[in-house]
Amino acid sequence: MTGRALVIVGGPSTDRPTSGVGMRRHHLLRAVGRVADLEILVVGELDDEARSEMASLYGARVGAAPSSAPPSGAAALVRGMRHPGSPTRVGRMDWPALRRAARSWMSTYDLTLVERVEDYLILRPVLEEPIVVDLDDRESE
């Protein structure tokens, strides 16, 4: 593949990962970067130092889409019930703010790879196909 790829990850990545998730994320980003011009969108907070480190390490454009907590009370309850059976993390995220941040980042890509199913559930309305959702870390029932 020669083209542009967007990888949406659940956290920052370094060249010295300290966990299994970090190692997997690092190698996933390196693999995609070998076959496409890579852009990385981190779901969560990302300071300027981490953004610069990732951009340098992967030769990629790097951005962040903060996923702050939603309001409490009835709105949070309704949001949490919106996808019964889905991971609880989905109900704790501020969907509109996350979608706005991601939408401002979107462009045309030959491939969008989403690292976590929870992020896919929330961001699906703003993503363009083709989309690959990485289900490696899912528990099954």
Side-chain angles (χ1 to χ4, degrees):
M1 166 192 255
T2 302
R4 295 177 62 216
L6 171 66
V7 179
I8 300 172
V9 295
S13 184
T14 70
D15 62 346
R16 293 189 179 109
T18 58
S19 68
V21 170
M23 286 184 249
R24 187 168 193 292
R25 181 176 294 144
H26 173 70
H27 291 293
L28 174 74
L29 292 170
R30 288 185 50 110
V32 174
R34 281 194 293 270
V35 297
D37 292 331
L38 179 61
E39 296 191 13
I40 303 167
L41 182 63
V42 176
V43 175
E45 301 295 326
L46 191 65
D47 62 32
D48 290 338
E49 184 179 338
R51 185 186 318 253
S52 293
E53 181 180 357
M54 285 183 70
S56 175
L57 180 62
Y58 301 107
R61 176 178 171 229
V62 178
S67 58
S68 59
S72 59
L77 177 64
V78 169
R79 188 173 289 146
M81 292 172 38
R82 201 164 172 184
H83 287 285
S86 66
T88 57
R89 184 175 164 273
V90 171
R92 293 191 312 258
M93 295 174 77
D94 185 351
W95 295 21
L98 181 57
R99 285 179 179 160
R100 275 191 306 277
R103 188 174 288 119
S104 73
W105 182 262
M106 290 298 113
S107 183
T108 301
Y109 300 101
D110 296 298
L111 171 70
T112 300
L113 191 148
V114 184
E115 180 187 41
R116 299 186 307 198
V117 69
E118 297 93 336
D119 297 334
Y120 171 76
L121 292 172
I122 296 168
L123 294 174
R124 175 60 189 113
V126 300
L127 302 178
E128 292 184 19
E129 295 182 0
I131 303 167
V132 174
V133 181
D134 184 352
L135 300 175
D136 179 69
D137 205 17
R138 296 294 336 137
E139 288 93 28
S140 62
E141 296 178 1

